[in-house]
Amino acid sequence: MQTTPHIMMVRPSNFGFNPETAMDNFYQKSDARSSEEIQKLAMQEFDAFVAMLRDQRVNVEVVEDTAKPVKPDALFPNNWISTHSDGKMLLYPMYSPNRRPERRKDLIERLMKKGYQVSEILDISFFEKDAQFLEGTGSMVMDHESKTIFASYSDRTHPIPLRYVGEILGYSVVGFHAVQEVKGELAPIYHTNVMMHIGTDLAVVCLDAIPKASEKQSVQRSLTQTGKKVIPITGKQKFNFAGNMLEVSNDGGEKFTVMSQTALDSLNVGQIQLIEKYTTIISPSIPTIEKLGGGSARCMMAELFLPKKN
């Protein structure tokens, strides 16, 4: 299954601008507002987002962030954990040292107590010792039905751990290089899920960000071979988080494409109509989180594909 009705989200305790991650995340912008005001706004945006999902009967497991150690990016759990329908849980190597405490054993235990069945925990954070990183479903966009991983190489997405995960899961890997222009210079896109989304029937991708023709063709061919309807987005739309989407379902099997209001506002009528042909759009307004965190709606949701006891 490409989608799940079970989502985990982490309610932030100390959200704010993270200078460590801002080194290569050009979507982050600092802010003159007080940390108290920023935290208040982030929690309001988070709670409203959760409410929108629950209104559509999507099951959201909300976990409270711990106050210490301070983790400004804790509300982006998809970078350190992924779960799979065979009961596997993977824990990933993180680029920024101050994000590594986000990997919490108590959180995993809580999920298990709630009936999520874990057959194996595969902790590959040992790659950090060799400065090799792979930040979960930020680094990798997975097509579970065709068992394919798409990944754009960057300082946060290295080939060796990527191949390792492909072997663990039995997925083929389509690796490529994607860039964006920042202050007149080309720089790698830090996370694949900024420029790419794969749902059951649709794929959204910024093909213009892939400069090498052979890699661009490989990505496009791999998507179309699986029967996906490909929706290209522009570089400008990508900078408005239009690639940062996630398809989820509810307890009745209805499918939704979740994206921020910023992303939705950047799409044209034809793109919106095509998405709505297959799914219903959920579009939370999260401007504070997007500006200071440099991540959007998809980054805030960790999918729970684990088998669940009733």
Side-chain angles (χ1 to χ4, degrees):
M1 295 290 291
Q2 184 65 15
T3 66
T4 173
H6 302 286
I7 300 294
M8 181 182 74
M9 298 177 69
V10 179
R11 194 168 189 260
S13 291
N14 293 284
F15 175 75
F17 181 80
N18 186 348
E20 275 193 23
T21 56
M23 298 293 289
D24 67 338
N25 181 348
F26 305 109
Y27 296 76
Q28 284 180 250
K29 302 287 185 295
S30 57
D31 197 305
R33 289 175 293 184
S34 69
S35 58
E36 292 80 12
E37 184 179 359
I38 289 167
Q39 172 65 15
K40 180 181 176 182
L41 289 169
M43 290 178 74
Q44 288 173 350
E45 292 173 9
F46 178 91
D47 291 341
F49 185 1
V50 170
M52 290 181 78
L53 291 170
R54 287 176 171 168
D55 282 347
Q56 298 293 348
R57 306 199 321 276
V58 177
N59 177 45
V60 185
E61 303 284 359
V62 174
V63 181
E64 295 289 337
D65 181 23
T66 52
K68 291 186 178 180
V70 172
K71 302 178 290 298
D73 290 316
L75 83 173
F76 299 135
N78 77 310
N79 297 143
W80 66 267
I81 188 172
S82 71
T83 67
H84 304 270
S85 58
D86 60 359
K88 285 190 179 74
M89 175 182 287
L90 273 69
L91 310 180
Y92 292 93
M94 307 281 281
Y95 175 68
S96 299
N98 73 357
R99 290 206 63 189
R100 295 169 192 172
E102 293 174 29
R103 294 187 297 254
R104 290 169 50 193
K105 289 183 180 178
D106 67 298
L107 191 151
I108 296 168
E109 290 167 359
R110 172 174 169 164
L111 290 176
M112 294 171 73
K113 285 177 181 177
K114 284 208 160 196
Y116 292 95
Q117 300 178 65
V118 178
S119 61
E120 190 175 11
I121 298 174
L122 297 159
D123 185 348
I124 65 166
S125 61
F126 61 83
F127 277 110
E128 290 168 355
K129 296 176 183 177
D130 297 317
Q132 294 281 309
F133 309 111
L134 187 71
E135 296 195 336
T137 54
S139 291
M140 302 177 293
V141 175
M142 299 185 185
D143 182 357
H144 296 293
E145 294 178 335
S146 70
K147 294 190 174 183
T148 306
I149 295 170
F150 294 84
S152 172
Y153 300 119
S154 71
D155 287 341
R156 305 192 194 193
T157 306
H158 287 136
I160 293 173
L162 176 61
R163 286 197 300 270
Y164 189 78
V165 169
E167 290 171 3
I168 287 172
L169 297 177
Y171 282 34
S172 60
V173 174
V174 179
F176 57 95
H177 298 82
V179 298
Q180 58 196 359
E181 188 173 327
V182 180
K183 297 179 181 178
E185 295 185 3
L186 292 178
I189 292 176
Y190 78 107
H191 274 161
T192 312
N193 75 0
V194 169
M195 50 85 65
M196 190 176 193
H197 154 67
I198 297 175
T200 304
D201 302 294
L202 297 172
V204 176
V205 59
C206 183
L207 292 168
D208 292 345
I210 308 173
K212 195 172 181 180
S214 60
E215 292 185 343
K216 184 184 297 186
Q217 290 168 1
S218 175
V219 169
Q220 194 164 15
R221 183 173 59 251
S222 297
L223 291 171
T224 54
Q225 282 176 346
T226 61
K228 308 289 183 191
K229 177 65 178 177
V230 178
I231 303 177
I233 56 172
T234 66
K236 184 177 181 181
Q237 289 174 322
K238 172 185 60 60
F239 270 114
N240 283 285
F241 298 104
N244 199 244
M245 304 176 182
L246 181 66
E247 184 180 291
V248 302
S249 56
N250 65 10
D251 55 12
E254 187 179 358
K255 294 184 177 67
F256 303 87
T257 299
V258 186
M259 70 187 81
S260 72
Q261 189 64 46
T262 303
L264 180 60
D265 290 343
S266 75
L267 298 178
N268 63 44
V269 173
Q271 291 168 324
I272 293 170
Q273 287 177 341
L274 193 50
I275 293 169
E276 289 182 330
K277 181 180 176 182
Y278 297 96
T279 64
T280 300
I281 292 174
I282 297 175
S283 53
S285 180
I286 49 173
T288 308
I289 292 169
E290 286 178 323
K291 179 181 178 181
L292 282 98
S296 191
R298 193 276 171 264
C299 305
M300 296 171 66
M301 297 178 286
E303 301 148 284
L304 298 174
F305 284 103
L306 298 167
K308 193 173 190 296
K309 294 178 183 176
N310 294 326

Short mmCIF file of all heavy atoms in Angstrom, two decimals, residues 216-242:
data_model
loop_
_atom_site.label_atom_id
_atom_site.label_comp_id
_atom_site.label_asym_id
_atom_site.label_seq_id
_atom_site.Cartn_x
_atom_site.Cartn_y
_atom_site.Cartn_z
N LYS A 216 17.37 12.77 -15.54
CA LYS A 216 15.99 13.27 -15.66
C LYS A 216 15.12 12.24 -16.37
O LYS A 216 14.00 11.94 -15.94
CB LYS A 216 15.98 14.59 -16.43
CG LYS A 216 14.61 15.24 -16.54
CD LYS A 216 14.64 16.50 -17.41
CE LYS A 216 15.51 17.57 -16.81
NZ LYS A 216 15.42 18.85 -17.58
N GLN A 217 15.65 11.66 -17.46
CA GLN A 217 14.90 10.64 -18.20
C GLN A 217 14.68 9.40 -17.35
O GLN A 217 13.61 8.78 -17.41
CB GLN A 217 15.64 10.29 -19.49
CG GLN A 217 15.63 11.40 -20.53
CD GLN A 217 16.61 11.14 -21.68
OE1 GLN A 217 17.28 10.12 -21.71
NE2 GLN A 217 16.68 12.07 -22.62
N SER A 218 15.68 9.03 -16.56
CA SER A 218 15.56 7.85 -15.70
C SER A 218 14.45 8.03 -14.67
O SER A 218 13.65 7.12 -14.44
CB SER A 218 16.89 7.59 -15.00
OG SER A 218 16.77 6.53 -14.08
N VAL A 219 14.40 9.21 -14.05
CA VAL A 219 13.35 9.50 -13.07
C VAL A 219 11.97 9.47 -13.72
O VAL A 219 11.04 8.82 -13.23
CB VAL A 219 13.60 10.86 -12.38
CG1 VAL A 219 12.39 11.29 -11.56
CG2 VAL A 219 14.86 10.81 -11.52
N GLN A 220 11.86 10.17 -14.85
CA GLN A 220 10.57 10.25 -15.53
C GLN A 220 10.11 8.87 -16.02
O GLN A 220 8.94 8.50 -15.86
CB GLN A 220 10.67 11.22 -16.71
CG GLN A 220 9.32 11.65 -17.27
CD GLN A 220 9.44 12.87 -18.15
OE1 GLN A 220 10.53 13.26 -18.58
NE2 GLN A 220 8.31 13.51 -18.44
N ARG A 221 11.04 8.10 -16.56
CA ARG A 221 10.70 6.77 -17.06
C ARG A 221 10.28 5.85 -15.92
O ARG A 221 9.30 5.11 -16.02
CB ARG A 221 11.91 6.18 -17.79
CG ARG A 221 11.64 4.80 -18.41
CD ARG A 221 12.80 4.33 -19.28
NE ARG A 221 14.05 4.24 -18.52
CZ ARG A 221 15.07 5.06 -18.65
NH1 ARG A 221 15.01 6.05 -19.53
NH2 ARG A 221 16.16 4.91 -17.93
N SER A 222 11.00 5.90 -14.81
CA SER A 222 10.68 5.05 -13.66
C SER A 222 9.29 5.35 -13.11
O SER A 222 8.58 4.45 -12.65
CB SER A 222 11.73 5.22 -12.56
OG SER A 222 13.00 4.79 -13.01
N LEU A 223 8.91 6.64 -13.14
CA LEU A 223 7.59 7.02 -12.65
C LEU A 223 6.48 6.59 -13.60
O LEU A 223 5.46 6.03 -13.17
CB LEU A 223 7.53 8.54 -12.43
CG LEU A 223 8.37 9.09 -11.28
CD1 LEU A 223 8.40 10.61 -11.33
CD2 LEU A 223 7.85 8.61 -9.94
N THR A 224 6.68 6.82 -14.87
CA THR A 224 5.62 6.50 -15.84
C THR A 224 5.45 5.00 -16.03
O THR A 224 4.34 4.52 -16.29
CB THR A 224 5.91 7.17 -17.20
OG1 THR A 224 7.22 6.80 -17.64
CG2 THR A 224 5.83 8.68 -17.10
N GLN A 225 6.53 4.22 -15.86
CA GLN A 225 6.44 2.77 -15.99
C GLN A 225 5.52 2.15 -14.94
O GLN A 225 4.97 1.08 -15.15
CB GLN A 225 7.83 2.13 -15.90
CG GLN A 225 8.63 2.25 -17.19
CD GLN A 225 10.04 1.69 -17.05
OE1 GLN A 225 10.53 1.44 -15.94
NE2 GLN A 225 10.71 1.50 -18.17
N THR A 226 5.40 2.83 -13.81
CA THR A 226 4.52 2.32 -12.75
C THR A 226 3.08 2.79 -12.94
O THR A 226 2.22 2.50 -12.10
CB THR A 226 5.02 2.78 -11.37
OG1 THR A 226 5.00 4.21 -11.29
CG2 THR A 226 6.44 2.29 -11.11
N GLY A 227 2.84 3.54 -14.00
CA GLY A 227 1.48 4.00 -14.29
C GLY A 227 1.10 5.29 -13.61
O GLY A 227 -0.08 5.68 -13.63
N LYS A 228 2.07 5.97 -13.00
CA LYS A 228 1.77 7.23 -12.33
C LYS A 228 1.50 8.34 -13.36
O LYS A 228 2.15 8.41 -14.40
CB LYS A 228 2.93 7.68 -11.45
CG LYS A 228 3.44 6.65 -10.47
CD LYS A 228 2.50 6.37 -9.33
CE LYS A 228 3.11 5.37 -8.37
NZ LYS A 228 2.15 4.87 -7.38
N LYS A 229 0.56 9.20 -13.05
CA LYS A 229 0.35 10.42 -13.81
C LYS A 229 1.32 11.46 -13.26
O LYS A 229 1.24 11.84 -12.09
CB LYS A 229 -1.09 10.90 -13.67
CG LYS A 229 -1.39 12.21 -14.39
CD LYS A 229 -1.26 12.07 -15.89
CE LYS A 229 -1.60 13.38 -16.59
NZ LYS A 229 -1.41 13.29 -18.06
N VAL A 230 2.26 11.91 -14.08
CA VAL A 230 3.30 12.82 -13.61
C VAL A 230 2.85 14.27 -13.76
O VAL A 230 2.43 14.70 -14.83
CB VAL A 230 4.62 12.60 -14.38
CG1 VAL A 230 5.69 13.59 -13.92
CG2 VAL A 230 5.12 11.16 -14.18
N ILE A 231 2.93 15.01 -12.65
CA ILE A 231 2.61 16.44 -12.65
C ILE A 231 3.92 17.21 -12.45
O ILE A 231 4.47 17.21 -11.35
CB ILE A 231 1.62 16.81 -11.53
CG1 ILE A 231 0.33 15.98 -11.64
CG2 ILE A 231 1.31 18.31 -11.55
CD1 ILE A 231 -0.66 16.24 -10.52
N PRO A 232 4.44 17.85 -13.50
CA PRO A 232 5.66 18.63 -13.33
C PRO A 232 5.36 19.94 -12.59
O PRO A 232 4.30 20.55 -12.78
CB PRO A 232 6.12 18.92 -14.77
CG PRO A 232 5.25 18.07 -15.65
CD PRO A 232 3.99 17.84 -14.90
N ILE A 233 6.28 20.34 -11.72
CA ILE A 233 6.18 21.65 -11.08
C ILE A 233 7.43 22.46 -11.42
O ILE A 233 8.48 21.90 -11.76
CB ILE A 233 6.02 21.54 -9.54
CG1 ILE A 233 7.16 20.74 -8.91
CG2 ILE A 233 4.66 20.95 -9.18
CD1 ILE A 233 7.18 20.77 -7.38
N THR A 234 7.31 23.76 -11.31
CA THR A 234 8.42 24.66 -11.63
C THR A 234 9.33 24.86 -10.42
O THR A 234 8.97 24.52 -9.29
CB THR A 234 7.90 26.02 -12.08
OG1 THR A 234 7.24 26.65 -10.95
CG2 THR A 234 6.90 25.89 -13.24
N GLY A 235 10.49 25.44 -10.69
CA GLY A 235 11.39 25.76 -9.60
C GLY A 235 10.76 26.73 -8.60
O GLY A 235 10.95 26.59 -7.38
N LYS A 236 10.00 27.68 -9.09
CA LYS A 236 9.33 28.63 -8.20
C LYS A 236 8.30 27.94 -7.33
O LYS A 236 8.19 28.21 -6.13
CB LYS A 236 8.66 29.74 -9.02
CG LYS A 236 8.02 30.83 -8.17
CD LYS A 236 7.43 31.94 -9.03
CE LYS A 236 6.81 33.03 -8.17
NZ LYS A 236 6.21 34.11 -9.00
N GLN A 237 7.55 27.01 -7.91
CA GLN A 237 6.57 26.25 -7.12
C GLN A 237 7.28 25.39 -6.08
O GLN A 237 6.81 25.27 -4.94
CB GLN A 237 5.71 25.38 -8.05
CG GLN A 237 4.73 26.18 -8.90
CD GLN A 237 4.00 25.33 -9.90
OE1 GLN A 237 4.57 24.41 -10.50
NE2 GLN A 237 2.72 25.61 -10.11
N LYS A 238 8.42 24.83 -6.45
CA LYS A 238 9.20 24.04 -5.49
C LYS A 238 9.61 24.87 -4.30
O LYS A 238 9.54 24.40 -3.15
CB LYS A 238 10.43 23.45 -6.18
CG LYS A 238 11.42 22.76 -5.25
CD LYS A 238 12.67 22.33 -6.00
CE LYS A 238 13.40 23.48 -6.63
NZ LYS A 238 13.87 24.50 -5.65
N PHE A 239 10.06 26.11 -4.54
CA PHE A 239 10.45 26.99 -3.44
C PHE A 239 9.27 27.36 -2.55
O PHE A 239 9.46 27.84 -1.43
CB PHE A 239 11.13 28.26 -3.98
CG PHE A 239 12.62 28.13 -4.13
CD1 PHE A 239 13.21 28.16 -5.38
CD2 PHE A 239 13.44 27.97 -3.03
CE1 PHE A 239 14.58 28.03 -5.52
CE2 PHE A 239 14.81 27.84 -3.15
CZ PHE A 239 15.39 27.87 -4.40
N ASN A 240 8.07 27.12 -3.06
CA ASN A 240 6.86 27.33 -2.25
C ASN A 240 6.32 26.01 -1.70
O ASN A 240 5.14 25.91 -1.36
CB ASN A 240 5.79 28.04 -3.09
CG ASN A 240 6.06 29.52 -3.23
OD1 ASN A 240 5.85 30.28 -2.29
ND2 ASN A 240 6.54 29.92 -4.39
N PHE A 241 7.19 25.01 -1.62
CA PHE A 241 6.90 23.71 -1.02
C PHE A 241 5.86 22.88 -1.79
O PHE A 241 5.23 21.99 -1.21
CB PHE A 241 6.45 23.87 0.45
CG PHE A 241 7.51 24.50 1.32
CD1 PHE A 241 7.39 25.83 1.72
CD2 PHE A 241 8.61 23.78 1.74
CE1 PHE A 241 8.37 26.42 2.53
CE2 PHE A 241 9.58 24.35 2.54
CZ PHE A 241 9.47 25.67 2.94
N ALA A 242 5.73 23.14 -3.10
CA ALA A 242 4.75 22.39 -3.89
C ALA A 242 5.18 20.94 -4.12
O ALA A 242 4.35 20.11 -4.51
CB ALA A 242 4.51 23.08 -5.23
#
